[in-house]
Amino acid sequence: MHFNKICVLGLGYIGLPTASTFATHGIKVVGVDVNQQVVETLQNGEIHIHEPGLRTLVQAALKSGNLEICDHPEEADAFMIAVPTPFKQQAESDSLPANSYPLADLSYVTNAAEAIVPYLRRGNLVVLESTSPPRTTEDILVPILEKSGLKAGADFHLAYSPERVLPGQILRELIENARVIGGIDPASAQAGYDLYATFVRGEIIQTTATTAEMVKLMENTYRDVNIAIANEFARLAERFDIDVWEAIALANRHPRVEILRPGPGVGGHCISVDPWFLVEAAPDLTPLIHTARDVNDTQPAHVVERTRRAAGDLSGKHIAVLGLAYKPDVDDLRESPAIEVARLLIEAGAKVISYEPFKPDHQIPGLPAALSLEAALRGSDILAILVAHTTFKNLTPAEVAALTEARTVVDTVNIWNPALWEPAGFRISRLGVGSLDSGR
Ligand SMILES: NC(=O)c1ccc[n+]([C@@H]2O[C@H](COP(=O)([O-])OP(=O)(O)OC[C@H]3O[C@@H](n4cnc5c(N)ncnc54)[C@H](O)[C@@H]3O)[C@@H](O)[C@H]2O)c1
């Protein structure tokens, strides 16, 4: 199938790079977003998210004349949906019994599908890229899109293709990663293949829509469960007075073992969210997945307990929280465990100031933001390192000592080597090291 024009709904971390990459590969693209501010920002040649190389790519796409930014869809050969799939707001899940789980909010996906209906024509392709519960394409998208009077499969193609790009490296991975494309029938999978073949250099593998949905959820659930076990190992190491980082490095010398890194929890828009889609879809079959989520979700509380052991009563203590992003070197704060740690520290009576180098002017309610490292460190009693940003890794004891009197450091990501910092007078309490009682 040949594509002259496509319409991409949702211009965030996934949709914007995808739309721009199609445009720079010679396809006419209408990029659609319902957020007027996003539309205006992009129309002015600016971007609203941080991703290396994205500004240049978007500007090139706009300049080529192939990318147009709009607040509503238009007729096109293919429609691509890349809108959020978060949890439902608490109020909507309030009626749930205890020991329950968050529920997927598919309203963005259904709204986007509804918006396509008036423009859908015979022979078109619709691809869902948003991470979605199993059977969303078959059971939710088909009935909505068929309101057009056209029949899925017979009159238009419909496919699901998961996105696996790594924030920070989206532009390269979009092109180089292997891509799975699942169709509601083989012709739909083939149409999806033809579309992505425009720019994807990695292998493109065809399968069914539901398999493709499951692939994405299985990938992220696999990582979540493995991080949960690393976090449990860290807790065990503290109890048994060993260094979990050393133990993991030694265990990983086994040729068939690869334990991941513990940390302050699991965040981001994918790994901390997607496993719940499986739990919601089949609670009777997912006790391990549910438990792993609980372990990772309680890790921020563990970090706060660790901080208390290291620094005593937290009430009134000035704590500089270093890093709020959900992972190193990105500005993405969604579902970040670092924010939860900061919130729990405040609840424990600490006076918290946060510094996120990729979003120093964040507007998180109730969480004071420092615009610079200097401002964060000034007057602090305790430093809590919550994200392994390169800029934090590169700090030297001398630089930090010049900015603050604080010498107690809680390092949840193992980036300040005690052998270097302790001779300079710092007391480094690393997650997963030593016994809780000794507070080392
Ligand atoms: N960010 C990632 O690294 C990543 C990786 C893999 C998969 N995903 C999945 O991709 C999907 C999109 O994620 P994202 O990070 O790009 O989200 P995002 O929040 O960055 O962007 C989504 C955009 O969609 C817009 N939108 C909402 N409803 C719309 C509608 N009806 N029509 C048009 N636009 C609409 C929003 O205004 C927003 O700008 C999610 O399902 C996510 O789980 C994200």
Side-chain angles (χ1 to χ4, degrees):
M1 187 171 168
H2 185 72
F3 299 90
N4 292 315
K5 179 178 173 188
I6 66 170
C7 189
V8 177
L9 289 90
L11 297 176
Y13 287 93
I14 299 302
L16 183 57
T18 306
S20 308
T21 304
F22 273 116
T24 54
H25 283 74
I27 293 187
K28 287 261 176 225
V29 180
V30 182
V32 179
D33 206 287
V34 289
N35 183 330
Q36 203 53 41
Q37 220 175 334
V38 169
V39 170
E40 280 166 25
T41 306
L42 293 171
Q43 281 174 339
N44 291 332
E46 291 301 319
I47 57 171
H48 59 295
I49 47 181
H50 170 84
E51 175 64 29
L54 185 58
R55 181 184 302 271
T56 312
L57 177 69
V58 172
Q59 286 171 351
L62 289 168
K63 202 158 165 236
S64 73
N66 282 339
L67 176 63
E68 184 199 337
I69 308 292
C70 213
D71 60 7
H72 59 273
E74 289 177 12
E75 280 186 29
D77 300 317
F79 298 87
M80 190 172 272
I81 302 175
V83 298
T85 42
F87 298 137
K88 284 191 174 135
Q89 291 307 308
Q90 202 59 44
E92 294 170 60
S93 339
D94 267 356
S95 51
L96 291 171
N99 189 27
S100 203
Y101 37 81
L103 302 177
D105 178 358
L106 291 182
S107 63
Y108 299 90
V109 170
T110 55
N111 287 343
E114 295 278 0
I116 292 171
V117 171
Y119 304 97
L120 193 61
R121 300 289 175 260
R122 197 174 290 278
N124 282 174
L125 163 69
V126 179
V127 184
L128 176 62
E129 279 211 9
S130 303
T131 306
S132 302
R135 300 203 57 83
T136 299
T137 310
E138 295 266 5
D139 295 349
I140 295 181
L141 282 197
V142 167
I144 294 176
L145 295 171
E146 288 190 344
K147 289 183 191 172
S148 63
L150 301 173
K151 191 113 193 65
D155 298 324
F156 66 92
H157 302 299
L158 176 59
Y160 178 85
S161 185
E163 191 50 77
R164 300 138 138 191
V165 288
L166 184 69
Q169 306 200 21
I170 292 181
L171 303 196
R172 185 179 58 76
E173 291 208 354
L174 204 54
I175 290 173
E176 291 180 5
N177 284 359
R179 177 173 283 275
V180 174
I181 172 99
I184 58 157
D185 56 11
S188 292
Q190 183 61 45
Y193 178 101
D194 296 342
L195 176 62
Y196 288 101
T198 312
F199 66 77
V200 170
R201 278 195 242 119
E203 203 181 342
I204 307 175
I205 306 121
Q206 299 182 39
T207 182
T208 69
T210 307
T211 304
E213 291 164 350
M214 278 293 288
V215 166
K216 173 72 188 174
L217 299 174
M218 283 162 50
E219 289 165 357
N220 283 340
T221 301
Y222 168 85
R223 288 188 60 77
D224 196 47
V225 170
N226 279 283
I227 296 169
I229 202 166
N231 284 334
E232 275 196 357
F233 288 153
R235 297 176 193 184
L236 289 166
E238 289 166 9
R239 168 141 337 148
F240 300 126
D241 204 11
I242 65 156
D243 176 339
V244 79
W245 307 93
E246 180 197 2
I248 289 174
L250 295 179
N252 283 350
R253 303 284 283 267
H254 184 298
R256 285 168 296 283
V257 169
E258 195 169 346
I259 302 168
L260 301 182
R261 293 167 63 87
V266 171
H269 198 248
C270 292
I271 299 183
S272 67
V273 175
D274 302 354
W276 290 126
F277 292 178
L278 291 176
V279 174
E280 179 183 353
D284 54 326
L285 302 179
T286 47
L288 173 66
I289 297 171
H290 194 151
T291 301
R293 276 283 67 242
D294 287 341
V295 168
N296 288 333
D297 276 354
T298 52
Q299 193 70 350
H302 178 77
V303 167
V304 171
E305 184 52 27
R306 184 99 187 111
T307 310
R308 194 179 281 117
R309 300 276 177 166
D313 183 11
L314 299 177
S315 171
K317 294 257 169 65
H318 290 262
I319 304 182
V321 159
L322 302 184
L324 290 177
Y326 83 90
K327 58 185 256 175
D329 298 332
V330 300
D331 75 338
D332 196 339
L333 308 185
R334 291 176 294 180
E335 314 290 336
S336 175
I339 294 173
E340 181 64 5
V341 171
R343 207 181 57 72
L344 293 174
L345 288 170
I346 292 170
E347 243 175 60
K351 295 193 183 323
V352 169
I353 180 130
S354 62
Y355 175 55
E356 171 44 66
F358 288 88
K359 224 174 222 173
D361 57 350
H362 71 76
Q363 308 283 328
I364 300 166
L367 182 52
L371 294 182
S372 65
L373 181 69
E374 289 78 356
L377 296 194
R378 201 181 304 130
S380 57
D381 305 312
I382 303 164
L383 314 183
I385 310 174
L386 302 182
V387 185
H389 286 316
T390 306
T391 118
F392 296 154
K393 278 190 198 165
N394 290 342
L395 287 168
T396 64
E399 280 171 300
V400 174
L403 296 174
T404 177
E405 301 287 310
R407 293 295 178 265
T408 301
V409 177
V410 176
D411 180 357
T412 65
V413 283
N414 194 31
I415 57 171
W416 285 6
N417 182 354
L420 200 66
W421 287 75
E422 292 191 346
F426 288 88
R427 203 164 65 90
I428 309 287
S429 176
R430 283 182 299 151
L431 178 82
V433 180
S435 81
L436 276 176
D437 294 331
S438 70
R440 286 193 295 147

